[in-house]
Amino acid sequence: AQRVTQPEKLLSVFKGAPVELKCNYSYSGSPELFWYVQYSRQRLQLLLRHISRESIKGFTADLNKGETSFHLKKPFAQEEDSAMYYCALSGSGNTGKLIFGQGTTLQVKP
Amino acid sequence: NAGVTQTPKFRVLKTGQSMTLLCAQDMNHEYMYWYRQDPGMGLRLIHYSVGEGTTAKGEVPDGYNVSRLKKQNFLLGLESAAPSQTSVYFCASSFGPGVSLHFGNGTRLTVT
């Protein structure tokens, strides 16, 4: 079964501290993984995708096929990073549909 | 460009009432999706469409129907609303598989 698990509902850190939001997936094929972010009162938007291997707003995520993980990391958290973060997996077939994890709320305290 | 627009933004229904949520996109996207967002459950796919005139069931389709008569519009219908359908509904669209989904602002629906 295709599944995405984000084990932490809430992650609270202080400004300047490192951040790691965990994401594990279950998928039999070659996965396409994404991180989406929803800031307060804004629509859900793409943060990054594993295939691009890019860094957006200081965030990076590496696909680890051995551990079936796609954790999101940032070395120094900023207050403006406070938001809800969703990990998502592109399902099989050419439908483009995404399977989302439960979401993690990141709270960066001053 | 407005992107993806959802109407209405908020709605309160009584059990048994019906309503239609409208999603409109002006990006000429082929693929459109309806998700519901519930606390602790993330986003779950209700129905989706890979082109005008096509629809397919997602993960949680029961109690909902959809139509895609025009490429730019994707309608989600609730024929007989139930309290379990209280949720935030998100519409999204994309050019195709493997590319970013563009989301609307959501519709907050309460069924009493």
Side-chain angles (χ1 to χ4, degrees):
Chain A
Q2 299 166 18
R3 191 168 54 246
V4 176
T5 304
Q6 293 178 249
E8 301 139 330
K9 267 181 138 173
L10 171 67
L11 184 63
S12 188
V13 302
F14 284 101
K15 178 181 167 183
V19 168
E20 181 178 72
L21 288 90
K22 291 185 167 45
C23 172
N24 288 90
Y25 66 91
S26 172
Y27 186 67
S28 56
S30 199
E32 285 188 60
L33 286 148
F34 306 80
W35 276 99
Y36 279 79
V37 60
Q38 188 176 26
Y39 300 104
S40 179
R41 286 189 267 283
Q42 292 187 30
R43 62 186 69 197
L44 203 64
Q45 57 188 286
L46 177 69
L47 180 62
L48 55 80
R49 48 191 299 210
H50 91 272
I51 203 165
S52 304
R53 301 185 65 81
E54 58 199 342
S55 171
I56 304 290
K57 298 186 179 183
F59 284 98
T60 58
D62 289 318
L63 177 62
N64 185 325
K65 290 187 179 180
E67 294 183 359
T68 59
S69 69
F70 188 57
H71 303 328
L72 184 67
K73 298 177 185 177
K74 184 169 183 176
F76 308 104
Q78 302 299 313
E79 288 180 70
E80 55 265 30
D81 296 328
S82 295
M84 173 74 92
Y85 290 80
Y86 287 100
C87 182
L89 168 71
S90 185
S92 56
N94 281 332
T95 62
K97 55 185 180 176
L98 294 183
I99 299 159
F100 285 85
Q102 303 91 324
T104 299
T105 299
L106 175 64
Q107 186 183 73
V108 182
K109 296 179 283 192
Chain B
N1 286 351
V4 179
T5 304
Q6 291 181 234
T7 51
K9 288 185 171 53
F10 304 93
R11 187 72 186 269
V12 179
L13 287 179
K14 290 190 185 340
T15 297
Q17 287 185 319
S18 63
M19 80 163 293
T20 300
L21 283 70
L22 170 64
C23 177
Q25 53 93 5
D26 60 3
M27 296 173 283
N28 203 33
H29 284 169
E30 287 292 336
Y31 292 45
M32 296 186 75
Y33 311 86
W34 276 107
Y35 285 90
R36 59 178 288 174
Q37 181 187 44
D38 300 292
M41 305 195 75
L43 279 81
R44 293 179 293 168
L45 183 65
I46 306 170
H47 284 281
Y48 65 98
S49 167
V50 298
E52 181 180 311
T54 75
T55 62
K57 293 181 181 179
E59 183 187 356
V60 289
D62 294 342
Y64 305 95
N65 56 72
V66 287
S67 65
R68 184 101 182 265
L69 298 178
K70 289 184 180 180
K71 185 177 182 177
Q72 62 267 34
N73 295 338
F74 195 29
L75 278 63
L76 178 71
L78 285 75
E79 287 187 352
S80 179
S84 60
Q85 294 176 305
T86 293
S87 187
V88 180
Y89 291 85
F90 285 100
C91 176
S93 70
S94 75
F95 279 116
V99 297
S100 171
L101 264 58
H102 294 255
F103 282 85
N105 274 325
T107 295
R108 186 172 294 275
L109 175 66
T110 303
V111 183
T112 62

